[in-house]
Amino acid sequence: MNKNLRTPVIAGNWKMNKNRAEAKALLEELCPLVKGADCGVVVCVPFTDLETALAATAGTNVKVGAQNCHFEKSGAFTGEIAADMLAEMGVEYVVLGHSERRQYFAETDETVNLRTKAALAAGLKPIVCVGELLAQREQGITAEVVALQTKIALQGIDADGLRSIIIAYEPVWAIGTGKTATAEQAGEVCAVIRATVAGLYGEEAASHLVVQYGGSMNAGNAAELLAQPDVDGGLIGGASLKADAFSQIVEAASK
């Protein structure tokens, strides 16, 4: 982390977990634990939990995010949620392009770009996910894959829009597997993302971009990962479902 340039952000991705009662209980336990955090704290919850989360975090430093949004403002898109709908509720963040969305729901680099533009137009802060498959890492093309994903995700977005974007590096082989990239591996790829953004927007803009690591970060490895100069926080999966574990990661990012 480089706190002189960037405020780190720890975001929990709850995925398809927690009903409303469970969400309320978790947030009531979490909010007091992270109230003094010297970093951004976000919980990205299922759509059905958004209203509960907004109520439970009201008046706290914990912000609420969704896990996806559609790129159209309205229309015949059964089962989808528009970015404006989220913004109207008071949601501030939205996760876009997560590898599970790409793997199971046919997300592409191009639709991630469209969703990112829609989120920005609605006033949301997108957390845009990029990352390589295990085969791509073994082929030695991680940098090329991640750079291409980053470029397409940001296509047509100006420097003002970039200020609202977080990019999360999520090596697909480390999501939900218990495997974690080494701190050096995570730092190298986050540096590739920043260099790619510098090539598009200039060094100054890139120096203020928050780049998270999102591959099985937990209370045990958070400090080592966050010590990397280009790792500015985390997009946390399983550990975000337990208040104590998540708060320990927030504490590591606050140091």
Side-chain angles (χ1 to χ4, degrees):
M1 297 182 296
N2 186 335
K3 285 192 171 184
N4 293 324
L5 293 172
R6 304 177 289 273
T7 300
V9 177
I10 301 296
N13 176 16
W14 290 13
K15 306 189 181 184
M16 196 175 70
N17 292 289
K18 305 295 183 183
N19 62 29
R20 289 176 298 170
E22 292 167 339
K24 183 174 184 287
L26 174 54
L27 291 169
E28 287 179 346
E29 182 181 0
L30 174 67
C31 287
L33 296 177
V34 299
K35 65 180 181 180
D38 187 24
C39 66
V41 183
V42 184
V43 289
C44 299
V45 306
F47 290 128
T48 52
D49 290 340
L50 285 172
E51 204 152 19
T52 298
L54 288 163
T57 58
T60 76
N61 61 316
V62 178
K63 307 300 183 183
V64 175
Q67 297 173 17
N68 191 31
C69 71
H70 199 265
F71 45 81
E72 296 289 354
K73 294 178 75 70
S74 64
F77 302 101
T78 301
E80 290 291 334
I81 303 293
D84 285 335
M85 295 175 176
L86 299 174
E88 187 271 336
M89 293 182 72
V91 172
E92 292 189 42
Y93 290 81
V94 59
V95 177
L96 298 173
H98 192 280
S99 67
E100 290 158 2
R101 298 296 310 175
R102 296 174 189 255
Q103 180 179 356
Y104 301 124
F105 303 105
E107 283 284 340
T108 66
D109 293 335
E110 289 75 17
T111 60
V112 171
N113 173 247
L114 292 173
R115 292 172 198 268
T116 302
K117 289 176 178 175
L120 290 172
L124 299 175
K125 298 173 182 176
I127 300 174
V128 180
C129 301
V130 298
E132 82 282 14
L133 302 171
L134 179 59
Q136 292 167 329
R137 173 162 283 275
E138 291 175 341
Q139 290 162 3
I141 59 172
T142 292
E144 291 92 331
V145 169
V146 170
L148 182 62
Q149 289 177 338
T150 300
K151 288 178 180 178
I152 296 176
L154 297 176
Q155 197 163 42
I157 293 169
D158 62 19
D160 285 339
L162 181 70
R163 293 189 185 98
S164 297
I165 292 175
I166 293 171
I167 297 182
Y169 167 51
E170 294 204 316
V172 179
W173 49 272
I175 299 171
T177 63
K179 297 179 181 178
T180 310
T182 66
E184 291 74 19
Q185 287 172 327
E188 286 170 4
V189 183
C190 288
V192 167
I193 293 168
R194 197 176 308 285
T196 302
V197 172
L200 297 172
Y201 298 92
E203 294 285 348
E204 177 69 14
S207 71
H208 291 92
L209 174 73
V210 172
V211 182
Q212 297 176 323
Y213 174 72
S216 297
M217 183 184 283
N218 56 51
N221 61 28
E224 183 182 12
L225 288 162
L226 292 167
Q228 294 293 312
D230 286 298
V231 177
D232 308 313
L235 182 58
I236 315 302
S240 70
L241 300 175
K242 298 179 180 178
D244 56 345
F246 190 63
S247 67
Q248 288 177 53
I249 299 171
V250 170
E251 183 179 354
S254 297
K255 292 179 178 177

